[in-house]
């Protein structure tokens, strides 16, 4: 079967099962093409609340599907590949953060949305990479514990030196391994290109960028810019999608290694199998996100706070 034929079957099954497919921008082109909504983690969590579909099939990683479930608990939410987890989301232990909170009760706990629902229950407010700086700035509190990404947290801290921002050792294994030498090499190869980086990269790397921002921030910047060439310092799919959207510009992935293995676990056959499972086929496997009402009520408080503060 060709990719196009499989996509046709998926489009038909989506209609038959009343399912909306949400795909993070780090997903492969053939998945983004059959999705109802695509974008960064914040946009998708809001899109999940907008759809009238009965079911949501998430192509991304586990915490994103959990967030969609918390914001739309009346819907059935499925993750297209049950093994797709974000390693950063698992890095901090709920009890350890609860203890830290007890020892410093005046410190506001700000959690990157890349965290488990369990951990969110002990956090005060969530942020995404597109909203982190704005939300931390807007908080009344000047004492903050930012978890789990010390690179994103460090990038915010640099821009708001007046706030006391405590960081812990955590981060994204895909972005944090990018080196200054790789940036220098890419610059030598493409001297006319602007370098755009995600704030999950280490500070020495983001310091070299002409623009630092979230997945959608990088895409918007590149589309609006008068410049014709860009080195993309985030997951390689972003360079691929940009190249497709802006054929008259040139996009170079910073390195071929900037691939999130977890995001790339999801394949088009996974999407098809999940939809077959939702349709009731006993031989197909649809992985549903199941959460208790208590966990949803407790964990979504910090997501509601993020939305209240304007994403
Ligand atoms: P965005 O918030 O930019 O979508 O990033 C999510 C993520 O996992 C980045 O690695
Ligand atoms: Fe998690 Fe990093 Fe992959 Fe994003 S790129 S999903 S933070 S491992």
């Amino acid at each position: 079967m060709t990719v196009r034929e499989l996509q046709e079957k998926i489009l038909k099954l989506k209609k038959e099962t009343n399912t909306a497919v949400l795909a993070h921008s780090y997903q492969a082109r053939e998945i983004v093409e059959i999705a109802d909504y695509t974008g960064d983690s914040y946009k998708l969590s809001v899109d999940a609340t907008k759809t009238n579909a009965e079911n949501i099939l998430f192509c991304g990683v586990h915490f994103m599907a959990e967030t969609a479930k918390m914001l739309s608990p009346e819907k059935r939410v499925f993750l297209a590949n049950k093994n797709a987890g974000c390693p950063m989301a698992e890095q901090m232990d709920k009890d350890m953060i609860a203890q830290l909170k007890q020892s410093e009760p005046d410190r506001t706990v700000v959690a990157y949305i890349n965290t488990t629902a369990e951990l969110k229950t002990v956090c005060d407010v969530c942020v995404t990479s597109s909203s982190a700086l704005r939300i931390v700035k807007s908080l009344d509190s000047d004492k903050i514990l930012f978890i789990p990404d010390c690179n994103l947290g460090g990038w915010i801290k640099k821009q708001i030196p007046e706030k006391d921002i405590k960081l812990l050792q955590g981060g994204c294994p895909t972005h944090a391994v990018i080196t200054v030498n790789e940036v220098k090499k890419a610059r030598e190869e493409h001297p006319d290109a602007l370098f755009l980086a995600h704030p999950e990269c280490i500070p020495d790397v983001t310091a070299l960028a002409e623009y630092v921002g979230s997945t959608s921030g990088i895409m918007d910047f590149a589309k609006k810019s008068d410049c014709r060439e860009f080195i993309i310092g985030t997951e390689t799919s972003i360079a691929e999608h940009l190249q497709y959207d802006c054929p008259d510009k040139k996009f170079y992935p910073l390195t071929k290694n900037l691939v999130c293995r977890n995001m790339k676990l999801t394949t088009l056959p996974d999407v098809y199998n999940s939809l077959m499972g939702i349709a009731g086929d006993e031989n197909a496997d649809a992985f549903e996100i199941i959460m208790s009402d208590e966990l949803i009520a407790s964990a979504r408080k910090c997501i509601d706070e993020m939305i209240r503060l304007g994403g």
Side-chain angles (χ1 to χ4, degrees), residues 47-121:
D47 286 343
T49 64
K50 286 189 195 151
T51 173
N52 291 325
E54 244 174 90
N55 307 300
I56 290 174
L57 178 59
F58 217 108
C59 302
V61 287
H62 191 266
F63 79 83
M64 296 179 179
E66 251 184 5
T67 306
K69 178 69 188 173
M70 287 189 266
L71 289 170
S72 303
E74 73 291 352
K75 293 183 179 128
R76 295 182 76 194
V77 177
F78 300 85
L79 181 64
N81 184 309
K82 66 177 175 200
N83 297 315
C86 165
M88 173 158 50
E90 313 282 338
Q91 282 167 353
M92 306 258 142
D93 177 61
K94 175 190 156 191
D95 294 338
M96 189 257 288
I97 299 300
Q99 256 176 20
L100 275 173
K101 239 182 120 165
Q102 243 181 3
S103 61
E104 285 190 84
D106 58 339
R107 207 174 268 283
T108 302
V109 181
V110 179
Y112 194 16
I113 200 160
N114 298 39
T115 40
T116 61
E118 272 299 314
L119 185 56
K120 286 185 175 85
T121 61

Side-chain angles (χ1 to χ4, degrees), residues 24 26 61 63-64 85-89 112 114 171-175 200 235 260-263:
H24 189 269
Y26 290 175
V61 287
F63 79 83
M64 296 179 179
C86 165
M88 173 158 50
Y112 194 16
N114 298 39
C172 163
T174 305
H175 288 84
E200 289 173 9
E235 222 279 344
C260 174
R261 309 267 162 221
N262 309 283
M263 282 280 182

Side-chain angles (χ1 to χ4, degrees), residues 110-225:
V110 179
Y112 194 16
I113 200 160
N114 298 39
T115 40
T116 61
E118 272 299 314
L119 185 56
K120 286 185 175 85
T121 61
V122 292
C123 300
D124 298 306
V125 58
C126 259
V127 296
T128 63
S129 53
S130 55
S131 65
L133 185 59
R134 193 170 63 249
I135 289 187
V136 175
K137 256 189 196 165
S138 75
L139 290 175
D140 289 337
S141 166
D142 280 344
K143 285 187 79 178
I144 285 151
L145 170 64
F146 188 94
I147 56 166
D149 188 348
C150 63
N151 292 317
L152 174 62
W155 177 70
I156 296 164
K157 195 176 157 99
K158 212 166 129 188
Q159 289 163 89
I160 325 177
E162 65 280 13
K163 293 213 181 203
D164 166 9
I165 303 178
K166 185 170 175 164
L167 304 171
L168 299 178
Q169 205 57 44
C172 163
T174 305
H175 288 84
V177 293
I178 298 307
T179 63
V180 166
N181 279 345
E182 284 170 314
V183 180
K184 285 185 181 156
K185 188 165 170 278
R187 281 227 195 258
E188 274 164 26
E189 283 167 15
H190 310 292
D192 296 329
L194 296 183
F195 170 46
L196 319 182
H198 198 283
E200 289 173 9
C201 296
I202 59 169
D204 287 352
V205 165
T206 46
L208 298 174
E210 271 81 32
Y211 173 82
V212 180
S214 67
T215 306
S216 47
I218 288 176
M219 293 183 89
D220 289 348
F221 181 93
K223 285 178 186 176
K224 287 182 192 149
S225 171

Side-chain angles (χ1 to χ4, degrees), residues 2-16:
T2 65
V3 168
R4 179 44 57 212
E5 283 163 350
L6 188 53
Q7 284 180 321
E8 294 296 337
K9 281 178 182 272
I10 287 171
L11 295 178
K12 196 163 163 273
L13 270 170
K14 279 201 310 179
K15 268 200 193 135
E16 283 168 12

